[in-house]
Amino acid sequence: MNSKRNTKYAIYIGCGDMEIYGNITGEIYLTEGDVRVRRGGLVDGMIRAENIAIEGMVTGRCEAKSVQIMENYRLNGGCCFVALSIARGGIFSGASEVFTPPSDDDVADFVKNKADTDRKTNPE
């Protein structure tokens, strides 16, 4: 999906890749796929995708496995990632947090606690 138009406020939810050439104010949630903010593109809001590449300007929050800020481009805001790369001349101004996937023990504890809760709320 390519976005070249200017919008007031939008929420995009879907899968597949998205390239942004214009201005978007709002939220972008891709369950599968990558977001690329192209040269001249501007996102004011939230982006959540598998991978995010910034060749424009983002003001808001990015959440992805991989976030790349290309040379001479900028992210202002929060960033949650597994891998972050900033090219020489790229700018990141904001708070960052490394996403740590849950361990197998965490998942097992969650499943056990969920089963215990289900048994207490739905006794047979």
Side-chain angles (χ1 to χ4, degrees):
M1 173 182 188
N2 289 340
S3 174
K4 293 184 181 180
R5 62 190 172 123
N6 294 333
T7 59
K8 294 229 183 248
Y9 188 87
I11 298 175
Y12 296 93
I13 301 173
C15 59
D17 296 339
M18 177 183 251
E19 294 186 349
I20 299 165
Y21 294 88
N23 297 341
I24 292 181
T25 299
E27 302 168 29
I28 300 166
Y29 298 99
L30 298 183
T31 55
E32 295 176 4
D34 302 338
V35 172
R36 185 174 288 274
V37 181
R38 293 295 196 172
R39 185 175 181 174
L42 170 66
V43 175
D44 185 3
M46 163 80 146
I47 303 173
R48 181 179 293 159
E50 287 188 60
N51 302 293
I52 300 170
I54 300 170
E55 300 171 5
M57 170 92 166
V58 175
T59 300
R61 182 168 174 84
C62 291
E63 295 180 358
K65 290 178 187 172
S66 169
V67 177
Q68 295 178 302
I69 303 171
M70 307 308 215
E71 183 178 8
N72 300 320
Y73 298 105
R74 177 176 207 118
L75 167 59
N76 293 326
C79 188
C80 181
F81 54 86
V82 174
L84 172 66
S85 66
I86 304 171
R88 182 182 304 234
I91 299 171
F92 172 53
S93 175
S96 66
E97 55 188 288
V98 175
F99 174 74
T100 305
S103 70
D104 290 341
D105 290 338
D106 291 337
V107 172
D109 288 344
F110 174 80
V111 170
K112 180 184 178 304
N113 291 336
K114 175 76 171 118
D116 290 345
T117 302
D118 287 347
R119 273 194 297 276
K120 289 177 186 174
T121 58
N122 299 317
E124 294 179 15

